[in-house]
């Protein structure tokens, strides 16, 4: 699954890895296995101020006025501490768009980046609320551990 418009194309896993890199300063090879060995390509300097800005920005997506607000509103106050980025890959001539979401489990104490993509888009919100309302260990293959510095 590649998502993008114009010259920009990316996969949800690449977006998840980008967020992990920006939150930790470690450019890691993407993995879906929490027990996999970390392969650090390089480190980047990311200020605490930028990390705070990014988390606050991601948090606006899952709260009132955000593109994922309706999906996460069923979680009540728990949604106040979740953040993410939504996306839609539109299929020309096809009404079944692919929706995706890359999110962080907690704004106040992030531990996991979760990615989800689904077609058709309507059932993605059910999947997401299931992930965020259940213990992450059950969904370990769907989450990428952040490992904050």
């Amino acid at each position: 699954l590649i998502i993008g418009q114009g010259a920009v194309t990316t996969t949800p896993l690449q977006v998840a890895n980008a967020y992990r890199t920006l939150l930790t300063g470690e450019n890691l090879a993407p993995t879906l296995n929490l027990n996999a060995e970390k392969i650090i390509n390089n480190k980047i300097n990311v200020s605490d101020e930028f990390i705070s800005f990014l988390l606050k920005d991601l948090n606006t997506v899952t709260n009132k006025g955000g593109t994922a607000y309706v999906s996460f509103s069923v979680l009540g106050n728990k949604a106040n501490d979740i953040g993410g980025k939504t996306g839609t890959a539109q299929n020309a001539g096809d009404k079944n768009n692919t929706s995706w979401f890359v999110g962080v489990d907690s704004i106040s104490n992030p531990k996991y980046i979760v990615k989800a993509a689904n077609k058709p888009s309507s059932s993605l919100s059910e999947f997401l609320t299931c992930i965020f309302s259940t213990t992450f260990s059950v969904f370990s293959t769907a989450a990428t551990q952040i490992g904050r510095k």
Side-chain angles (χ1 to χ4, degrees), residues 58-69 72 76 79-82:
L58 293 173
N59 189 239
T60 63
V61 172
T62 57
N63 286 281
K64 194 166 186 159
T67 54
Y69 171 69
F72 284 90
N80 294 337
D81 195 43
I82 296 172

Side-chain angles (χ1 to χ4, degrees), residues 21-80:
T21 299
L22 293 172
L23 292 172
T24 65
E26 295 178 338
N27 181 6
L28 302 173
T31 180
L32 293 176
N33 183 347
L34 292 178
N35 298 319
E37 180 183 342
K38 280 177 145 182
I39 300 171
I40 301 174
N41 297 326
N42 59 10
K43 293 192 176 208
I44 61 171
N45 241 348
V46 182
S47 70
D48 288 340
E49 182 180 46
F50 177 80
I51 291 170
S52 178
F53 167 81
L54 177 60
L55 290 170
K56 183 178 177 182
D57 192 51
L58 293 173
N59 189 239
T60 63
V61 172
T62 57
N63 286 281
K64 194 166 186 159
T67 54
Y69 171 69
V70 173
S71 296
F72 284 90
S73 63
V74 298
L75 296 177
N77 289 336
K78 290 181 184 178
N80 294 337

